[in-house]
Amino acid sequence: MIKIKCIENEMSITELGLMLGVKQQYISYIIYGERGTGKYTEQIADFLGIEAEQVENLGNIRKSKMKVS
């Protein structure tokens, strides 16, 4: 969802990181569910135009898709 919104806004992941004051790697970790959104939850929610609770669930959704039974 974060990557899609970046594309829609003609913004790179690096630019989003700069906007939030974090490295591009940290944004990638969030996208792939390796890190939580932490103190950036509200800012990411504003960027995506969704509720903060939905942002917190992004990583959980990604992790559940990665699990193989």
Side-chain angles (χ1 to χ4, degrees), residues 8-25:
E8 288 174 355
N9 291 327
E10 297 180 5
M11 175 186 283
S12 70
I13 299 300
T14 302
E15 291 170 320
L16 176 59
L18 289 171
M19 184 179 89
L20 297 175
V22 299
K23 293 183 180 183
Q24 174 271 331
Q25 293 161 316

Side-chain angles (χ1 to χ4, degrees), residues 1 4 6 8 11-13 21 28 34 39 41 49-50 54 56 61-67 69:
M1 181 179 271
I4 292 168
C6 283
E8 288 174 355
M11 175 186 283
S12 70
I13 299 300
S28 291
E34 295 175 25
K39 64 182 181 180
T41 301
I50 61 176
Q54 292 174 289
E56 292 170 349
I61 292 168
R62 179 72 179 170
K63 283 182 182 178
S64 67
K65 288 182 179 180
M66 292 175 57
K67 289 183 182 177
S69 301

